[in-house]
RNA sequence: GCGUUCGUAGCUCAGCUGGAUAGAGCGACGGACUUCGAAUCCGUAGGUCGCAGGUUCGACUCCUGUCGGACGCACCA
């Protein structure tokens, strides 16, 4: 279908050129790739629509008249290429594709191993940094959004041909880490997560919260935390030992959550290992006049000329800051693996930071600074407002998934699906993840979103489970066929049989899968794919209800529709994978 | 105060690089299971796309202003 669209643009461009010659018009004609194609609002108007408004004044002809003139010019090349036919529909040149030809090419493409891969980003190296948790507490709902955006985007860009490197840049140093250490020293009595029967991240997180208690009991606690940080930076053996121990606990816990949600990384790039980076670059930049030194010795950049502020890059004692480090990591990453793009999946509260970072790298003379991209995502709010640690309104990632899985298991039991499903808990877990991930990806990343626990626990409507259910229904039909049931065995597939309107609508939807991947990959918006998948599921639901496959009286039609089900299922599977929604054969 | 960003149906969200009557889901109401699994399907009701200008043959989409919300403007990360 993508090919046909391109071919039509070519044909129309040629027809315009010919028409221009006839009319003696010298003006430059639009290039084929610039001709806009759209979907007519109603199926009976055709499969593709080309508005003629933009070319009216070029030809000094009314759009409707132009559409008419081009329609006749276009017929013979279209027929020759089995591309269907064109007609003027008011000011639009509309195209009805050759259904049999399109069905044949779709069924062939969808059965190929390459189905679900496009080449829009072929040869590109994309590095993506996401998740990057603090190593003093477990993951919460906000991380889940970050994680699934990053993972889904990585998968999608890889499907679009890019080679990906996924990086986790945990924040494992700083005063907040020291606070959990201090509280552990005060209350931990040498206990381990095992002793308390807690997951490592929850265990350490507990002490981080206990720091507030400590502070109430001991007013010097804040200062002690600062002192601990100084010792850490000085390399104090005892401090480093405890730091390492607690960090390991947290990471074990967080990694368990990643395993559960299907998130993984090519590289862990700890801040404790990179925080010294960037200083040299700042010194070099100082010599070149990119930075200036204040009287107290601190080093600054003045970005006021582009409407930003002045920003510190080195403290007066010469130590580095967050932004200094980011300068260093960007440079060293580019040195190790020269990327065509580096995407930072980081909350939108850091937009200013990245603006300054990118601008500074540009001023330092790195031409690849324009390849850096901050994928800013919005906050996840609750109906009651913001999540706040102090108010205990943070939705813990593990607890949330547990709760969802429990509910899914109950649903399976209520429907009496235990036997059909096999391992109830395993399937319930996948339904839970499908519900969660789809919910988080449905909304475009830039927007703040509302997380309504009750609504997210509902499995009806525009949800992950709905999509999984449709995938399972498609699988079920194929399974029955494999088991020898149905009439498809007695027939032979013939693409021409799917020319009826009902089949055609589903064919078009399935065929649009590659375009959805391309759209999501280029715009870096997993929600594009999420919306596509929902449309696919909804179209399939309507279709299979009214159009018998295995039970069809016509064996050839049964066999052909079976192929369409197969193509649909493969699209479900691959699209769901890209969205981190587990595919289920049965649920 | 300055900057960034969001503002579409009662609620949660779509709406592709501006194009033909603005779409889903939830909720409400009414239908469909001796028929490939009803976590489903079909129908009805519900919107002056925050507001006001501007650009354009054409604006939910671009520009300006304005109102409202969120976030940011640390020698924290």
């Amino acid at each position: 279908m993508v090919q046909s669209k391109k071919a039509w643009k070519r044909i129309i461009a040629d027809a315009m050129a010919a028409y221009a010659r006839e009319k003696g018009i010298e003006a430059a004609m639009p290039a084929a790739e610039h001709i806009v194609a759209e979907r007519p609002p109603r199926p009976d108007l055709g499969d593709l629509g080309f508005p003629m408004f933009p070319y009216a004044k070029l030809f000094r002809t009314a759009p409707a008249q132009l559409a008419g003139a081009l329609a006749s010019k276009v017929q013979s090349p279209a027929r020759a290429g089995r591309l269907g036919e064109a007609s003027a529909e008011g000011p639009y040149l509309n195209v009805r594709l050759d259904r049999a030809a399109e069905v044949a090419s779709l069924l062939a493409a969808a059965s190929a191993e390459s189905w679900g891969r496009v080449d829009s980003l072929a040869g590109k190296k994309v590095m993506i940094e996401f998740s990057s948790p603090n190593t003093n507490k477990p993951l919460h709902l906000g991380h889940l959004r970050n994680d699934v955006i990053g993972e889904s985007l990585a998968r999608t860009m890889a499907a679009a041909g890019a080679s990906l490197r996924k990086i986790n840049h945990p924040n494992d140093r700083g005063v907040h880490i020291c606070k959990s250490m201090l509280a552990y020293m005060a209350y931990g009595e040498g206990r381990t997560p095992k002793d308390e029967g807690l997951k490592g991240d929850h265990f350490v997180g507990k002490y981080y919260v206990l720091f507030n208690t400590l502070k109430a009991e001991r007013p010097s606690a804040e200062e002690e935390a600062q002192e601990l940080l100084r010792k850490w930076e000085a390399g104090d053996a005892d401090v480093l030992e405890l730091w390492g121990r607690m960090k390991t606990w947290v990471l074990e816990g967080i990694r368990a959550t990643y395993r559960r949600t299907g998130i993984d990384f090519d590289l862990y790039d700890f801040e404790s290992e990179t925080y010294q980076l960037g200083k040299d670059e700042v010194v070099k930049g100082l010599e070149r006049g990119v930075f200036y030194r204040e009287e107290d010795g601190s080093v600054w950049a003045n970005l006021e000329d582009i409407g930003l502020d002045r920003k510190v890059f080195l403290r007066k004692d010469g130590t580095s800051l967050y932004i200094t480090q980011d300068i260093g990591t960007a440079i060293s990453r580019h040195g190790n693996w020269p990327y065509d793009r580096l995407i930072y999946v980081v909350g939108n509260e850091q937009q200013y930071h990245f603006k300054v970072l990118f601008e500074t790298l540009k001023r330092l003379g790195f031409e690849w600074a324009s390849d850096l991209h901050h994928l800013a995502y919005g906050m996840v709010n609750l109906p009651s407002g913001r999540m706040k640690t102090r108010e205990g309104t943070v939705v813990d990632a593990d607890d949330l998934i547990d709760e969802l899985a429990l509910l899914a298991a109950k649903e399976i039991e209520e429907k009496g699906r235990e036997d059909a499903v096999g391992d109830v808990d395993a399937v319930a877990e996948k339904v839970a993840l499908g519900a969660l991930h789809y919910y988080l990806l449905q909304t475009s990343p830039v927007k703040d979103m509302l997380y309504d626990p009750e609504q997210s626990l509902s499995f009806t409507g525009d949800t992950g489970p709905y999509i999984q259910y449709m995938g399972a229904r498609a699988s079920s039909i194929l399974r029955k066929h494999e088991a020898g049931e149905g009439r498809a065995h007695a027939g032979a597939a013939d693409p021409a049989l799917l020319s009826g309107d009902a089949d055609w609508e589903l064919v078009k939807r399935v065929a649009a899968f590659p375009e959805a991947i391309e759209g999501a990959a280029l715009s870096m918006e997993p929600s594009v794919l999420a919306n596509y998948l929902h449309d696919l599921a909804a179209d399939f639901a309507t279709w299979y209800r009214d159009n018998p496959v295995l039970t069809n009286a016509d064996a050839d039609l049964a066999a052909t529709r079976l192929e369409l089900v197969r193509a649909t299922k493969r699209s479900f599977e691959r699209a769901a994978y890209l969205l981190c929604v587990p595919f289920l054969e049965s649920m």
Side-chain angles (χ1 to χ4, degrees):
Chain A
M1 191 131 337
V2 190
Q3 275 70 27
S4 303
K5 197 188 271 186
K6 275 187 191 152
W8 268 105
K9 289 182 179 182
R10 177 82 269 153
I11 289 175
I12 291 170
D14 290 347
M16 280 186 185
Y19 190 51
R21 275 194 300 278
E22 274 172 34
K23 296 198 71 173
I25 292 166
E26 305 269 318
M29 289 295 120
E33 61 270 26
H34 290 141
I35 295 176
V36 295
E38 60 158 298
R39 243 177 81 153
R42 288 196 322 269
D44 58 279
L45 287 170
D47 303 312
L48 298 172
F50 298 90
M52 289 295 114
F53 305 101
Y55 318 112
K57 57 175 175 291
L58 205 56
F59 288 94
R60 289 188 296 272
T61 306
Q65 210 180 325
L66 183 57
L70 294 179
S72 58
K73 287 200 172 306
V74 122
Q75 291 317 353
S76 78
R79 210 158 294 153
R82 286 199 74 189
L83 290 165
E85 39 190 71
S87 63
E89 305 281 348
Y92 293 84
L93 181 64
N94 281 7
V95 166
R96 285 174 185 75
L97 294 167
D98 182 322
R99 295 184 175 185
E102 294 297 332
V103 171
S105 81
L106 170 66
L107 295 182
S111 61
E113 191 41 51
S114 61
W115 182 242
R117 285 204 295 272
V118 296
D119 58 7
S120 350
L121 294 175
K124 299 285 182 200
K125 293 168 88 171
V126 178
M127 189 176 269
I128 180 165
E129 175 194 305
F130 64 104
S131 198
S132 304
N134 290 338
T135 58
N136 64 345
K137 54 188 171 196
L139 267 28
H140 62 246
L141 183 53
H143 293 112
L144 291 175
R145 186 178 194 191
N146 182 313
D147 292 353
V148 76
I149 288 172
E151 181 67 34
S152 172
L153 200 56
R155 292 181 185 187
T156 304
M157 293 180 94
S163 60
L164 263 290
R165 182 168 285 199
K166 296 184 283 183
I167 296 190
N168 194 345
H169 192 50
N171 175 217
D172 61 339
R173 64 170 285 276
V175 72
H176 54 297
I177 303 292
C178 295
K179 286 178 182 175
S180 52
M181 288 164 64
L182 201 64
Y184 179 74
M185 285 154 62
Y187 306 116
E189 296 168 346
R191 285 190 298 272
T192 67
K194 214 178 190 177
D195 295 333
E196 298 194 11
L198 288 173
K199 216 162 142 265
D201 49 345
H202 290 261
F203 176 84
V204 174
K206 192 186 97 175
Y207 288 98
Y208 182 63
V209 172
L210 276 174
F211 178 78
N212 290 317
T213 310
L214 183 67
K215 209 163 61 173
E217 288 176 2
R218 216 198 283 169
S220 60
E222 290 279 1
E223 276 172 42
E224 289 177 50
Q226 291 292 347
E227 176 57 24
L228 212 50
L229 181 60
R230 276 191 288 276
K231 282 187 180 167
W232 182 90
E233 294 200 356
D236 182 289
D238 291 342
V239 172
L240 283 176
E241 189 280 325
L242 178 61
W243 171 78
R245 193 146 40 103
M246 292 181 75
K247 174 174 150 181
T248 303
W249 288 335
V250 173
L251 282 173
E252 278 170 1
I254 287 178
R255 281 191 161 111
T257 306
Y258 288 150
R259 270 198 299 281
R260 193 177 184 189
T261 53
I263 310 295
D264 75 342
F265 300 91
D266 299 306
L267 181 71
Y268 280 72
D269 193 2
F270 294 97
E271 282 197 17
S272 59
E273 295 160 0
T274 62
Y275 79 105
Q276 301 283 14
L277 292 175
K279 285 198 238 179
D280 299 345
E281 299 296 335
V282 172
V283 171
K284 279 189 232 165
L286 187 60
E287 289 160 9
R288 302 223 319 268
V290 175
F291 302 102
Y292 67 92
R293 198 184 285 278
E294 276 289 347
E295 286 172 12
D296 64 1
S298 56
V299 175
W300 297 66
N302 184 345
L303 304 180
E304 285 169 342
D305 54 315
I306 58 159
L308 301 178
D309 270 326
R310 291 161 188 246
K311 180 86 189 168
V312 194
F313 278 77
L314 287 179
R315 292 193 183 91
K316 62 183 169 221
D317 62 6
T319 56
S320 67
L321 289 100
Y322 179 49
I323 190 147
T324 323
Q325 176 197 177
D326 272 357
I327 296 268
T329 52
I331 294 169
S332 82
R333 285 171 183 180
H334 193 271
N336 294 334
W337 198 72
Y339 43 75
D340 295 294
R341 184 177 303 172
L342 169 53
I343 302 167
Y344 296 89
V345 183
V346 178
N348 62 12
E349 69 275 9
Q350 292 197 36
Q351 279 174 137
Y352 183 77
H353 166 78
F354 283 104
K355 219 174 240 189
V356 172
L357 175 67
F358 299 164
E359 175 63 20
T360 305
L361 283 163
K362 196 172 110 192
R363 292 185 182 199
L364 285 170
F366 297 102
E367 69 289 344
W368 45 261
S370 56
D371 302 326
L372 305 177
H373 185 260
H374 174 205
L375 180 66
Y377 64 93
M379 286 218 279
V380 183
N381 295 310
L382 302 174
S384 53
R386 261 190 97 148
M387 291 197 284
K388 284 187 179 142
T389 318
R390 267 182 227 149
E391 294 171 18
T393 53
V394 174
V395 177
D396 179 80
D398 296 317
D399 294 350
L400 175 63
I401 302 168
D402 286 346
E403 221 177 304
L404 286 165
L406 209 63
L407 206 99
K410 212 163 77 185
E411 192 82 4
I412 291 168
E413 283 156 25
E414 272 171 20
K415 294 186 189 309
R417 298 283 305 162
E418 296 100 317
D419 292 342
V421 144
D423 187 339
V424 173
D425 289 341
V427 171
E429 174 88 0
K430 289 182 176 178
V431 171
L433 289 173
L436 177 69
H437 285 161
Y438 184 81
Y439 193 93
L440 293 171
L441 289 179
Q442 217 182 354
T443 304
S444 158
V446 288
K447 295 190 181 178
D448 286 351
M449 63 178 288
L450 187 78
Y451 177 78
D452 183 338
E454 275 185 42
Q455 202 188 316
S456 86
L457 291 167
S458 149
F459 294 149
T460 60
D462 183 6
T463 65
Y466 171 76
I467 284 158
Q468 290 173 315
Y469 178 69
M470 288 308 155
R473 293 301 301 269
S475 302
S476 171
I477 292 173
L478 292 168
R479 204 160 45 235
K480 279 195 155 54
H481 172 76
E482 300 301 327
E485 292 180 42
R487 309 216 359 108
H489 295 283
D494 171 8
L497 296 176
L498 296 187
S499 297
D501 289 344
D503 294 312
W504 180 238
E505 285 308 300
L506 181 59
V507 166
K508 279 199 285 187
R509 183 69 72 189
V510 176
F513 180 35
E515 285 179 278
I517 295 173
E518 180 175 276
L522 296 182
S523 63
M524 297 188 278
E525 284 259 13
S527 62
V528 169
L529 207 43
N531 289 320
Y532 168 77
L533 188 49
H534 173 258
D535 289 343
L536 178 65
D539 284 351
F540 179 70
T542 303
W543 176 82
Y544 83 72
R545 193 137 289 272
D546 304 330
N547 300 280
V549 181
L550 301 179
T551 55
N552 209 290
D554 180 340
D556 290 342
L557 184 53
T560 318
R561 282 191 173 152
L562 189 72
E563 291 310 307
L564 181 54
V565 173
R566 213 186 296 279
T568 306
K569 185 200 163 185
R570 287 172 65 90
S571 307
F572 272 134
E573 258 176 317
R574 297 185 179 208
Y577 168 77
L578 298 178
L579 294 166
C580 305
V581 172
F583 183 82
L584 289 167
E585 295 281 338
S586 180
M587 65 187 278

